[in-house]
Amino acid sequence: MTHHRIVIIGGGNAGLSVAGRLQRKGIDDVVVIEPRGQHRFQPLFSHVAGGVARASMAVRPQASVMPEGVGWLQETVMDLEPDADAVVLASGARVTYDQLIVCPGMQLDWDAVPGLTAALGTPSVASHYEFDLVPKASRLLRDLRSGTVVFTQPPGPAKCAGASQKPMYLACDYWRATGVLGDIRVVMVVPDPTIFGIPEIDRELERKIAEYGIEVRYGIELRSVDGANNTVEIGPVSGGPGAGAGFSAGSGSGSVEQLHYDVLNVVPPQSAPDWLKSTSLPAAGDSGGFVEVDPETLRHVRYDNVWALGDAAATRNSKSGGALRKQTKVVAENVLTLLDGREPATRYDGYTVCPFTVSRSTVVFAEFDDAYRLKPTIPFWTSLSRERRLSWLFDRHILPWVYWHMILKGRA
Ligand SMILES: Cc1cc2nc3c(=O)[nH]c(=O)nc-3n(C[C@H](O)[C@H](O)[C@H](O)COP(=O)(O)OP(=O)(O)OC[C@H]3O[C@@H](n4cnc5c(N)ncnc54)[C@H](O)[C@@H]3O)c2cc1C
């Protein structure tokens, strides 16, 4: 058994950023538990699938991105004992802590859609949400010259849900440039009654949808996949996976439909990792399994020395790296305040972001809050949410550098 002042579960975007911040503030015993030897920058997966970045650009060795002075335990957490201030590892070892920060992200629930897991092994099905399948998605979209392509966005909480649509716009722009767009039927399945949910953003996306001739099925979800016959069944959304941060729970009004596909790019339903669901950290009745924190202070509502942020926290915002960038500041400040013997008072304001890559040179930059109201970083510059080349430059070329060199070090 070992003891550390701060233990962080998950060395992804949230875990490393908050570790870096705490270390830079002078906390000397911060340890991150992370099993993977490679760190992945997930926002770039959409660009890779859309043919405007290489897969190698989205990964780096975990050792190379660990903030200096932060410890790394390359282990998997299996269970939590918050009453004993302890974490149980897959190796059987226990690690105790003064403060615990929980950020293991979300899992992709492939088995929630009948037939989907088997279909992933067939030649025409891919997903840009799973790193190993991203190059396949990229190849399938690049090589399609005619036929039907179906893209799906799941109901319920998802990592940057709007990212489900990004490779579609990038591929359409490519097909238009290569003269085959007219021979391809593009179908997008979305769980909500509109394409995104904020009128200003919906207008921009709808303009691109009309430009590319995309057929959108609103209020609809993927019901099943028949990989042997290249067919999907889609139908009205029956309800999200429960409390958490989903915006799409509810009933759709469309009808059940069978669609033949030549290419299928699926984004599966998502939830907190199974091991986390079975601990005492989620709220009773939250089938999504997210850590029950105060959505503003990000402190657990029942365990005073437990915190959560990023995709695994039951906050109200749409989950994204942009959201957790704000959350890392809040958690770091509040933990420091607590260690100083005062009550945590820093609050997360619900900010989140989704940069829609609507062509291979433009982005619609949606910044909004947990009530789906526009929330531009630069106040009054609301027109940043229009299609812009400048946003593309930032999203594709500047942000990856900022991520590797500043965000993961707790500097931004
Ligand atoms: C295709 C795609 C596109 C996206 N596009 C954008 C975008 O454009 N803009 C944006 O802001 N966000 C985007 N996101 C969302 C963003 O990537 C996530 O919100 C962000 O990575 C969440 O960070 P996290 O640290 O909570 O989880 P992650 O970054 O997923 O990290 C979780 C870590 O926890 C580790 N872990 C899991 N279980 C255990 C365990 N039992 N023990 C120890 N460690 C464990 C995992 O190995 C992982 O390293 C996108 C996501 C995807 C998938």
Side-chain angles (χ1 to χ4, degrees):
M1 180 151 80
T2 50
H3 181 88
H4 296 283
R5 202 166 179 206
I6 314 261
V7 168
I8 299 175
I9 302 176
N13 187 349
L16 294 194
S17 304
V18 77
R21 278 189 193 282
L22 287 166
Q23 204 278 333
R24 286 164 55 74
K25 295 275 185 186
I27 305 288
D28 58 359
D29 186 16
V30 181
V31 160
V32 172
I33 306 175
E34 168 60 57
R36 282 192 192 144
Q38 278 192 330
H39 184 98
R40 294 160 182 177
F41 178 42
Q42 298 172 62
L44 217 51
F45 293 5
S46 309
H47 297 82
V48 177
V52 290
R54 289 192 307 279
S56 59
M57 294 171 171
V59 280
R60 292 206 176 170
Q62 186 75 16
S64 74
V65 296
M66 290 298 302
E68 211 175 321
V70 169
W72 174 24
L73 262 182
Q74 192 169 7
E75 282 262 19
T76 302
V77 173
M78 292 294 280
D79 200 7
L80 301 174
E81 295 173 356
D83 292 313
D85 297 337
V87 165
V88 183
L89 305 178
S91 61
R94 287 167 92 244
V95 179
T96 54
Y97 53 79
D98 292 341
Q99 302 290 321
L100 176 69
I101 303 176
V102 185
C103 38
M106 293 175 94
Q107 68 182 19
L108 302 173
D109 294 324
W110 302 105
D111 289 335
V113 178
L116 177 54
T117 305
L120 290 172
T122 63
S124 315
V125 183
S127 173
H128 68 292
Y129 266 58
E130 173 60 58
F131 182 66
D132 294 341
L133 293 171
V134 179
K136 184 180 180 187
S138 177
R139 244 186 349 263
L140 285 172
L141 297 175
R142 183 198 62 197
D143 294 344
L144 190 70
R145 291 285 172 272
S146 63
T148 300
V149 54
V150 178
F151 294 88
T152 73
Q153 180 177 326
K159 318 178 192 204
C160 196
S164 307
Q165 302 172 23
K166 293 187 196 179
M168 173 185 71
Y169 300 118
L170 292 169
C172 283
D173 187 31
Y174 171 73
W175 292 325
R176 183 171 59 183
T178 50
V180 297
L181 182 61
D183 299 322
I184 297 176
R185 179 188 184 201
V186 184
V187 181
M188 178 80 225
V189 175
V190 294
D192 299 307
T194 67
I195 192 69
F196 183 62
I198 298 176
E200 291 86 343
I201 306 296
D202 286 346
R203 270 198 298 277
E204 290 294 281
L205 298 181
E206 281 162 8
R207 188 169 51 73
K208 299 307 288 186
I209 284 165
E211 214 178 89
Y212 295 132
I214 298 166
E215 294 176 30
V216 184
R217 301 288 192 274
Y218 294 103
I220 296 290
E221 66 182 341
L222 179 64
R223 291 266 179 93
S224 64
V225 185
D226 177 353
N229 293 301
N230 282 31
T231 310
V232 289
E233 181 176 295
I234 59 172
V237 172
S238 51
F247 291 90
S248 49
S251 295
S253 54
S255 55
V256 175
E257 193 181 348
Q258 314 283 332
L259 281 174
H260 174 84
Y261 60 81
D262 295 283
V263 170
L264 172 65
N265 187 77
V266 178
V267 177
Q270 295 157 46
S271 62
D274 284 340
W275 67 267
L276 181 58
K277 287 186 190 114
S278 62
T279 69
S280 58
L281 294 197
D286 176 3
S287 58
F290 299 101
V291 182
E292 188 184 17
V293 286
D294 176 315
E296 293 182 340
T297 63
L298 305 175
R299 189 183 195 180
H300 199 276
V301 300
R302 285 171 281 119
Y303 301 105
D304 279 354
N305 61 344
V306 176
W307 309 79
L309 74 162
D311 291 355
T315 47
R316 294 182 292 247
N317 58 286
S318 174
K319 295 171 189 301
S320 73
L324 72 84
R325 195 173 67 78
K326 299 262 186 177
Q327 295 171 359
T328 57
K329 291 182 197 161
V330 174
V331 171
E333 281 298 324
N334 283 343
V335 168
L336 285 166
T337 308
L338 193 73
L339 293 176
D340 208 27
R342 290 175 289 125
E343 265 309 289
T346 308
R347 295 181 181 280
Y348 168 54
D349 62 2
Y351 171 93
T352 189
V353 63
C354 185
F356 284 94
T357 50
V358 291
S359 80
R360 290 174 300 155
S361 57
T362 55
V363 156
V364 169
F365 203 68
E367 294 182 285
F368 53 107
D369 67 11
D370 49 15
Y372 262 51
R373 291 173 302 217
L374 285 182
K375 194 172 176 63
T377 298
I378 303 167
F380 311 115
W381 195 9
T382 47
S383 64
L384 198 58
S385 60
R386 300 221 186 100
E387 180 182 9
R388 285 191 183 279
R389 277 179 196 276
L390 184 66
S391 312
W392 170 271
L393 281 178
F394 173 75
D395 185 53
R396 172 62 192 85
H397 298 290
I398 298 172
L399 186 60
W401 188 93
V402 172
Y403 183 79
W404 297 118
H405 298 280
M406 302 198 56
I407 292 177
L408 290 186
K409 311 282 182 227
R411 293 172 186 270

